Amino acid sequence: MKRRFGHILLAGGVLLAAAGGCGSPYQTSAADVNPLRWEEPAGIRIENADTVTLRDAAIFLRYNDRFTEDTLTVRITTLSPDSLRFEEEFLLAIVRTDTPAALQHETLIPYRRQIRLLREGGYRILVTPVRPVRGVEAVGVRLAKSY
């Protein structure tokens, strides 16, 4: 009987270790915006179950050839699951890369390093340009484990 119980514990430990090792180090969420004139808040939802891990946050944009800016100031509002609110303006510096015309343009801008989301549940992040802009198709947030 003891031997079977030991095997069950060992098998359970292996399954837990495998489940923890297979997860992606990234969590990404995005929202489409009006590419003709983005001026409304883009609502992004991030589900959080990990209240311990330090993560780096980055903002990304997907844009088309109508987007000609090299910087873009946005207002970022974060609402925690328990309704705490943090709001700030943030300057996105756009680094251009040469890609074939058929490919979508994307840029990833570091936002915050070593953050910890202290509450479990859904965080809402609203990203709003401070002035209307053309050519942006989507905006999103990527969380990555800090190293």
Side-chain angles (χ1 to χ4, degrees):
M1 184 68 169
K2 279 187 176 181
R3 188 171 179 197
R4 281 189 186 168
F5 184 69
H7 287 297
I8 292 171
L9 284 178
L10 178 63
V14 169
L15 287 174
L16 285 174
C22 293
S24 171
Y26 300 109
Q27 183 178 5
T28 304
S29 187
D32 291 332
V33 298
N34 182 355
L36 299 177
R37 183 178 169 96
W38 176 33
E39 59 186 340
E40 299 294 321
I44 301 162
R45 185 172 174 88
I46 300 275
E47 284 298 324
N48 184 52
D50 183 351
T51 61
V52 178
T53 302
L54 291 175
R55 293 178 261 186
D56 298 335
I59 304 294
F60 65 88
L61 295 178
R62 186 180 69 225
Y63 56 92
N64 60 35
D65 290 332
R66 290 184 179 153
F67 182 70
T68 58
E69 315 289 328
D70 58 356
T71 61
L72 176 62
T73 302
V74 295
R75 175 169 281 111
I76 300 173
T77 304
T78 304
L79 303 166
S80 70
D82 59 353
S83 299
L84 293 177
R85 179 185 187 101
F86 177 75
E87 188 172 322
E88 68 180 332
E89 286 189 0
F90 186 70
L91 178 67
L92 302 173
I94 312 301
V95 178
R96 301 280 178 179
T97 56
D98 292 329
T99 59
L103 296 179
Q104 305 245 347
H105 304 286
E106 290 186 3
T107 188
L108 182 68
I109 300 105
Y111 172 53
R112 293 246 175 223
R113 293 193 33 78
Q114 297 189 338
I115 62 171
R116 181 177 290 129
L117 301 178
L118 298 175
R119 306 284 186 264
E120 287 187 21
Y123 280 77
R124 287 187 38 220
I125 301 169
L126 304 172
V127 181
T128 311
V130 296
R131 61 177 173 69
V133 65
R134 290 175 27 144
V136 175
E137 298 177 349
V139 63
V141 175
R142 183 185 85 172
L143 298 177
K145 185 176 178 182
S146 295
Y147 292 102

